[in-house]
Amino acid sequence: ALTSQTTTTAPPASGTPRDIRNFIGGDFVDGVAGFDKIDPVDGAVIGRVHEAGRHEVDRAVAAARAAFDGPWGRMSVGDRATLLRRIADAIERRFDDLVAAEVGDTGKPETLARDLDVARAAMNFRSFADTVASTGLDSFLTELADGRRALNYAIRKPLGVVAIIVPWNLPLLLLTWKLAPALASGNTVVIKPSEETPSSATLLAEILSEAGVPDGVVNVVHGFGEDSAGAFLTGHPGIDGVTFTGETSTGSAIMRAVAPRVRPVSFELGGKNAAVVFADADLDAAIAGLARSTYLNTGQVCLCTERIYVERPIFDEMAAGLAEQARRLRLGRPENPATTTGPLISQAHRAKVLSYFDLAREEGATVLAGGGVPTLGDGLDGGSWIEPTLWSGLDNSNRAVREEVFGPVAAIIPFDTEAEAIALANDTDYGLAAVTWTSDLTRGHRVAQRMRTGMSWVNTWYLRDLRSPFGGMGLSGIGREGGHHSLEFYTEPTNVCVQL
Ligand SMILES: NC(=O)c1ccc[n+]([C@@H]2O[C@H](COP(=O)([O-])OP(=O)(O)OC[C@H]3O[C@@H](n4cnc5c(N)ncnc54)[C@H](O)[C@@H]3O)[C@@H](O)[C@H]2O)c1
Ligand SMILES: N/C(=C\C=C\C=O)C(=O)O
């Protein structure tokens, strides 16, 4: 049982770094080493994270297996759905603490953490409670030509112990997007949050325990990837499946790790997402929509637009309008309600994004907005801040237009025909998300369907139905999650055939 002194995620007294521990078998557990959690807003050390070693990962997998073999593995679908709804209620009771954890780790505006990250955490649990309670089984009355008859029906069983490995951009949203269906399907889990954002997952473990999730069902181990907790987990013989969100290169590494044991993987990976704007689009709506799809969460959303193709007659107007929107964004402290845009997650990530700012200039870019590091004063200049940026003068041959930057920047490029626009948008090895802006909905449907992406929005972006298939193709991922698609991954069907 948890008491207030066993938890490590209570808001710290001001100035003292928080102690962030692993959560194994229902207890908060020290690690073998430690690393600092740096505040992206001002560079201060705000936490000391306990890194899980092989032994801690072994303990976490063993705890998950023991819980799976216990009462949890025999729980009814109805009872699991009820528990997921209780978890959603518990998340809403601790809403402010989860917002504080997410904002502390990422520096994102508090308004964004409230409206997106934490709000979606509760929604994810409710959505999968509904899904698991309402998704039927396959069954057929089989009648063969030779007169034999049979009943075929498929039952779904949980995979077992699932590894959940998630990134730092939408930490709680992405964790609960996988945790909810994994639990709904009867699995137990070991979570490895990003080393950049350990807090909300650790607090969530406490909340789940208070909501009645039995010890060992959910475990959290902190650390890095290679030669650390992430790799110890994916290479562990006790893991029955891996669900991962992160960089494409990491996905490849995880595939190699599970290959010897042929374990199933569900991957949401990188992207280089395109938007196509036709001359008949509602320009104000398109400019506002593109400002959101390019700069939301400081461009650190896998679905963000990094390539904008605009029909030539409106190119100048679109470029000027979007550059103006970029300049209007308000960088500042998360608690300021006027703040629209936070810092990047770290100095290391900022160095990566700035390297693309330099590369784009070398490749001939014209910088229509931003292009550097802002001077914010107010004690913020130790943070990982960057100017929202817009490039013109590039084309699909440039690395800055082909490689994922994962920051607040896009290249805006003209086109002349619909066929050319589709070819330009599909000219990538990624395949995650596309956006089409046009007033001609017949064209909107046609163009959206021809995008070689997992998701394709028309006259909007990141409008989500949690039952629809979410994921990417090519370098953007393997599989789909959402609604019954998640159950397809987190369970193994057994088809039973009974001769009648
Ligand atoms: N498709 C999506 O839905 C989606 C969503 C968010 C982020 N992303 C992608 O994630 C990237 C940014 O996030 P990131 O920097 O945290 O990604 P990352 O791949 O560096 O790390 C993601 C997670 O994987 C872990 N990890 C790293 N190497 C590992 C290994 N060898 N074995 C096991 N675990 C390992 C990390 O510790 C972290 O927890 C971007 O490329 C972005 O496009 C994709
Ligand atoms: N998986 C989801 C979002 C992914 C965002 C990537 O950064 C979702 O909205 O369910």
Side-chain angles (χ1 to χ4, degrees):
L2 286 163
T3 57
S4 59
Q5 59 268 23
T6 57
T7 64
T8 63
T9 45
S14 63
T16 51
R18 214 173 30 240
D19 194 38
I20 301 168
R21 289 190 285 167
N22 305 288
F23 185 76
I24 299 173
D27 295 317
F28 284 96
V29 172
D30 287 355
V32 290
F35 57 94
D36 287 342
K37 168 56 201 164
I38 304 292
D39 186 341
V41 168
D42 58 14
V45 176
I46 54 171
R48 186 74 185 150
V49 189
H50 289 251
E51 181 178 3
R54 283 188 191 281
H55 174 65
E56 287 71 32
V57 171
D58 284 346
R59 280 185 56 191
V61 174
R65 176 65 58 195
F68 182 76
D69 293 339
W72 176 260
R74 298 187 294 276
M75 204 171 179
S76 72
V77 168
D79 287 346
R80 286 205 300 267
T82 301
L83 179 56
L84 260 70
R85 293 192 179 95
R86 256 210 321 270
I87 291 169
D89 295 342
I91 286 171
E92 285 174 344
R93 281 196 300 275
R94 300 289 299 273
F95 200 96
D96 292 346
D97 291 344
L98 286 165
V99 167
E102 210 70 323
V103 168
D105 279 3
T106 64
K108 69 174 70 185
E110 197 172 300
T111 51
L112 181 60
R114 286 190 174 281
D115 297 345
L116 179 61
D117 301 79
V118 182
R120 267 292 304 275
M123 287 169 68
N124 287 343
F125 276 99
R126 293 204 168 95
S127 177
F128 286 106
D130 294 344
T131 295
V132 76
S134 61
T135 301
L137 301 173
D138 286 341
S139 64
F140 303 95
L141 181 58
T142 309
E143 297 174 310
L144 300 179
D146 62 8
R148 285 179 300 160
R149 298 170 68 245
L151 171 63
N152 275 281
Y153 67 93
I155 58 166
R156 293 195 165 286
K157 301 168 189 168
L159 281 181
V161 176
V162 175
I164 299 180
I165 301 179
V166 283
W168 44 256
N169 60 319
L170 304 173
L172 191 66
L173 185 156
L174 290 167
L175 167 54
T176 54
W177 177 243
K178 295 165 178 301
L179 179 59
L183 297 181
S185 303
N187 298 285
T188 57
V189 304
V190 181
I191 298 163
K192 213 296 289 176
S194 170
E195 53 277 22
E196 301 288 359
T197 51
S199 300
S200 56
T202 309
L203 177 54
L204 181 65
E206 175 186 312
I207 293 169
L208 295 173
S209 192
E210 290 168 356
V213 176
D215 292 350
V217 171
V218 175
N219 304 276
V220 179
V221 293
H222 293 297
F224 304 86
E226 219 166 310
D227 301 328
S228 187
F232 301 158
L233 188 55
T234 55
H236 199 289
I239 291 296
D240 296 307
V242 179
T243 184
F244 165 72
T245 297
E247 292 198 8
T248 299
S249 57
T250 307
S252 299
I254 293 173
M255 277 184 100
R256 284 193 294 274
V258 302
R261 288 169 292 110
V262 194
R263 297 293 76 203
V265 294
S266 175
F267 282 168
E268 289 182 12
L269 304 179
K272 191 65 177 182
N273 307 309
V276 174
V277 189
F278 289 94
D280 69 351
D282 172 338
L283 289 194
D284 292 341
I287 288 170
L290 285 168
R292 184 166 166 270
S293 70
T294 302
Y295 302 116
L296 183 78
N297 203 44
T298 317
Q300 300 168 127
V301 179
C302 59
L303 304 165
C304 274
T305 302
E306 292 199 12
R307 297 181 287 145
I308 303 171
Y309 299 104
V310 179
E311 196 167 6
R312 201 174 298 275
I314 60 162
F315 179 83
D316 292 342
E317 196 173 354
M318 281 299 300
L322 193 50
E324 177 57 26
Q325 292 288 317
R327 284 189 288 270
R328 279 200 196 146
L329 293 170
R330 292 284 302 276
L331 282 60
R333 293 187 179 282
E335 63 275 11
N336 181 341
T339 297
T340 62
T341 306
L344 294 172
I345 189 67
S346 68
Q347 297 289 357
H349 186 55
R350 181 169 74 169
K352 172 191 168 186
V353 176
L354 287 172
S355 75
Y356 279 99
F357 282 20
D358 295 340
L359 175 66
R361 284 194 176 87
E362 289 159 23
E363 293 184 318
T366 298
V367 180
L368 300 180
V373 172
T375 303
L376 299 172
D378 182 24
L380 297 178
D381 293 327
S384 38
W385 299 90
I386 197 165
E387 291 177 329
T389 295
L390 182 65
W391 298 319
S392 65
L394 296 175
D395 62 38
N396 276 24
S397 69
N398 297 128
R399 283 181 52 208
V401 178
R402 306 199 69 80
E403 297 172 14
E404 178 184 61
V405 178
F406 214 60
V409 60
I412 190 163
I413 299 168
F415 72 86
D416 294 303
T417 68
E418 178 180 310
E420 181 193 5
I422 293 168
L424 288 169
N426 285 335
D427 174 26
T428 173
D429 295 331
Y430 289 103
L432 190 59
V435 186
T436 302
W437 289 92
T438 176
S439 299
D440 173 353
L441 286 190
T442 301
R443 169 154 66 187
H445 287 281
R446 180 174 66 239
V447 172
Q449 292 173 23
R450 292 193 56 195
M451 293 300 180
R452 208 175 53 251
T453 55
M455 294 156 292
S456 197
W457 279 283
V458 179
N459 297 335
T460 185
W461 174 75
Y462 201 26
L463 188 157
R464 292 274 290 112
D465 185 312
L466 305 189
R467 298 164 298 185
S468 54
F470 184 101
M473 54 184 79
L475 295 182
S476 290
I478 295 175
R480 297 294 186 274
E481 297 200 29
H484 70 82
H485 303 279
S486 297
L487 304 190
E488 304 290 333
F489 175 71
Y490 292 105
T491 64
E492 295 277 17
T494 295
N495 185 75
V496 177
C497 175
V498 180
Q499 180 145 353
L500 301 177

